[in-house]
Amino acid sequence: MKKHLHVIQSIVPGSIAEEMELQPGDTVLAINGQDIEDVFDYHYLVNDEYIEMLIRTADGTEEVLEIEKDYDEDIGIVFESSLMDDYRSCSNNCIFCFIDQLPKGMRETMYFKDDDSRLSFLQGNYITMTNMKDEALERIIRYKLEPINVSVHTTNPELRCMMLHNRFAGKIMEQLQKLYEGGIIMNGQIVLCKNVNDGEELERSIRDLSGFIPNIESVSVVPVGLSDHREGLYPLEPFNREDAREVIACIEKWQKKLYEEYGTHFIHASDEWYLLAGYEMPEEERYDGYLQLENGVGMIRLLTEEFHEGLKEAVTDGKKRHVTIATGHSAVGTIRKLAEELCEKFPNVAVDVYEIVNHFFGEQITVSGLMTGTDLKEQLQGKDLGEALLLPVNILRSGEDVQILLDDITIPELENTLQIPISIVQSNGQDLVDKILGRGEIDE
């Protein structure tokens, strides 16, 4: 096993680490005599009332620090790598992988596929577990690393091997069973592909996964995203309205059954299914506390509820105001309806809502999170955008510079081209009310 060097990047002010006079550039070598592989080892070992930490200072001196603290009190060290290790890449070649559908010429980091169980715990990423050995599962159980989010897609072993193009992918039920017996809380995800893992295969997957209730708290079903850049890839078809209604009928049938048996709806259709089907979103109670928001399950319902609450308390100074909101096809109907409600209450406020057609990835991509600066420039340039342009926060690239969009165009560059201040709306309805009314700060 390689020796990991865990270099301190910064120290949290007022923390134990500052009190112990640790400095950026110092290296943590061991805790209680044990080497540290990654962030999991670190957090497991520091969760104690007394620890001995072996440090190498920037000048090469080694010393042992004796630290007394509350059991779960954080020491206040920020490392150069959040994982304290290299990221583990995906070993699959999934027939539905969106990264394989990206256009050429994007930044290299955009093509990196992660499948790291540590990111599942730390950031909520979904993992396939195909590159995990029994020791890794045992480590998750031993350290109680939960929740773990699993990209299941199907519980049929042969079909899963085909979909992920990985001969080790068929062990999913055994792996889930091991985590279940270890008491680990999980969430699941199924990316649904037409004529592949839908229909009877979806029924089978829901049936199998429901056997792990309550440890698997929820499972989302999302439609495969298909860009215009699928040359040489597995032939997949888009879902139509009738398909969406069949998927919803299946899921709602299981929701009713499982709620009666376990008190949880468990299986959830993403908002895209209801939009495609032309149905109203389920009532708030059906989302079981919005466990799958990151997969687009309940986002529209939650946004609507929060917006209405915010609108009840909202007031203005009576001055005229004109703003523009840009969003994708999926959300445009909802955003227009909410904007109309606000303008009805405040006649002095005008809101234009523009639907941005996704030319960059392809017109079948309709979610706002995949809007690009290129499309925004082309479709908004020359229009009267009012005092500010409002954009959803999910268009910004996560984990990197918050001012950069997916196609590397920056917010300042977009502001300069469109000659309009841009305000980023956070993922809640209250902030949408605030930004329309000018109560939120314009993002620098």
Side-chain angles (χ1 to χ4, degrees):
M1 182 181 296
K2 69 176 181 179
K3 183 75 173 179
H4 297 272
L5 294 178
H6 306 302
V7 180
I8 297 174
Q9 182 181 65
S10 60
I11 300 297
V12 177
S15 65
I16 293 173
E18 184 179 64
E19 183 181 339
M20 302 300 292
E21 299 184 346
L22 288 169
Q23 300 291 329
D26 293 347
T27 302
V28 179
L29 300 177
I31 297 175
N32 296 337
Q34 297 187 44
D35 289 338
I36 306 164
E37 179 182 345
D38 58 19
V39 65
F40 287 170
D41 287 336
Y42 173 77
H43 282 297
Y44 180 75
L45 292 169
V46 299
N47 275 348
D48 210 336
E49 295 177 348
Y50 173 81
I51 63 171
E52 294 181 355
M53 181 179 288
L54 178 60
I55 298 293
R56 180 188 295 143
T57 62
D59 63 7
T61 303
E62 293 189 7
E63 58 180 311
V64 175
L65 304 180
E66 298 181 358
I67 300 174
E68 293 185 3
K69 63 183 190 64
D70 293 337
Y71 177 81
D72 57 356
E73 185 179 2
D74 184 48
I75 293 176
I77 295 175
V78 178
F79 292 96
E80 289 185 345
S81 167
S82 60
L83 285 182
M84 302 173 67
D85 191 14
D86 297 329
Y87 288 85
R88 294 172 186 166
S89 62
C90 182
S91 58
N92 306 314
N93 187 22
C94 299
I95 63 173
F96 50 81
C97 180
F98 195 76
I99 292 177
D100 290 338
Q101 304 178 62
L102 295 178
K104 296 178 181 179
M106 300 182 73
R107 185 182 293 189
E108 186 176 347
T109 54
M110 296 294 293
Y111 302 98
F112 179 79
K113 305 177 186 180
D114 74 70
D115 195 23
D116 201 314
S117 61
R118 297 166 298 183
L119 292 178
S120 179
F121 172 67
L122 294 171
Q123 299 178 10
N125 293 19
Y126 277 75
I127 57 170
T128 64
M129 301 201 298
T130 54
N131 62 3
M132 294 182 67
K133 297 181 180 179
D134 287 344
E135 303 83 61
L137 292 175
E138 290 165 3
R139 192 163 174 250
I140 288 174
I141 294 168
R142 181 169 70 251
Y143 289 174
K144 201 69 176 176
L145 301 171
E146 58 183 12
I148 292 294
N149 296 327
V150 184
S151 291
V152 179
H153 309 310
T154 178
T155 57
N156 179 331
E158 293 79 15
L159 179 59
R160 194 167 194 262
C161 288
M162 184 281 287
M163 291 185 69
L164 275 59
H165 202 68
N166 188 321
R167 62 191 178 93
F168 300 108
K171 301 187 296 181
I172 184 64
M173 289 297 290
E174 299 169 29
Q175 292 172 315
L176 293 175
Q177 182 67 35
K178 188 159 190 170
L179 293 175
Y180 174 79
E181 292 173 355
I184 297 299
I185 299 301
M186 298 169 276
N187 293 289
Q189 176 199 61
I190 295 173
V191 174
L192 210 63
C193 300
K194 188 171 180 176
N195 299 325
V196 179
N197 61 336
D198 54 352
E200 292 183 6
E201 292 293 347
L202 177 59
E203 294 267 6
R204 170 179 175 164
S205 294
I206 298 172
R207 184 183 306 109
D208 289 346
L209 293 173
S210 66
F212 296 114
I213 296 174
N215 292 55
I216 294 185
E217 293 185 315
S218 67
V219 176
S220 62
V221 180
V222 301
V224 61
L226 301 176
S227 82
D228 283 352
H229 308 276
R230 291 192 54 83
E231 297 83 1
L233 300 179
Y234 187 93
L236 290 173
E237 302 176 47
F239 289 97
N240 59 34
R241 173 164 292 197
E242 189 57 38
D243 298 327
R245 292 182 174 184
E246 290 179 7
V247 170
I248 291 171
C250 172
I251 288 173
E252 292 189 342
K253 176 191 70 176
W254 277 97
Q255 284 183 332
K256 182 178 180 181
K257 170 182 169 59
L258 295 173
Y259 190 79
E260 290 174 353
E261 293 182 17
Y262 300 102
T264 176
H265 296 94
F266 183 68
I267 185 78
H268 300 276
S270 68
D271 293 358
E272 292 169 83
W273 294 111
Y274 287 92
L275 293 169
L276 183 56
Y279 290 166
E280 289 291 322
M281 294 294 160
E283 61 277 11
E284 192 169 27
E285 293 74 19
R286 291 250 301 279
Y287 290 107
D288 296 337
Y290 298 108
L291 295 171
Q292 292 269 357
L293 278 175
E294 291 302 314
N295 276 322
V297 176
M299 291 183 71
I300 289 179
R301 172 56 65 195
L302 181 59
L303 175 73
T304 301
E305 297 295 328
E306 292 173 340
F307 186 91
H308 287 156
E309 285 299 312
L311 190 58
K312 285 180 185 177
E313 307 297 326
V315 294
T316 68
D317 56 11
K319 295 180 180 178
K320 288 188 175 182
R321 179 167 170 79
H322 174 205
V323 299
T324 293
I325 302 173
T327 189
H329 174 76
S330 292
V332 72
T334 300
I335 298 300
R336 281 178 177 154
K337 182 178 179 182
L338 296 178
E340 287 169 4
E341 292 178 22
L342 184 143
C343 293
E344 185 176 346
K345 179 174 180 178
F346 301 114
N348 58 302
V349 178
V351 182
D352 291 324
V353 180
Y354 283 100
E355 175 183 333
I356 302 300
V357 178
N358 202 317
H359 298 306
F360 190 88
F361 291 111
E363 294 187 17
Q364 292 185 58
I365 302 300
T366 61
V367 294
S368 62
L370 290 175
M371 288 192 302
T372 61
T374 302
D375 284 330
L376 288 165
K377 280 183 179 183
E378 290 178 354
Q379 297 173 49
L380 295 179
Q381 200 163 4
K383 292 183 168 59
D384 179 9
L385 304 178
E387 301 169 40
L389 171 62
L390 276 54
L391 298 176
V393 69
N394 60 1
I395 70 167
L396 301 176
R397 286 168 49 172
S398 61
E400 299 184 43
D401 189 329
V402 295
Q403 292 287 298
I404 298 180
L405 282 72
L406 287 171
D407 56 350
D408 288 342
I409 289 176
T410 67
I411 293 296
E413 180 184 348
L414 194 57
E415 288 179 317
N416 184 59
T417 299
L418 299 177
Q419 289 296 292
I420 189 76
I422 291 176
S423 186
I424 299 299
V425 181
Q426 300 303 311
S427 299
N428 65 77
Q430 177 66 64
D431 197 51
L432 180 57
V433 172
D434 290 341
K435 294 293 171 63
I436 291 175
L437 297 179
R439 298 195 305 216
E441 294 182 356
I442 297 295
D443 297 274
E444 299 280 330

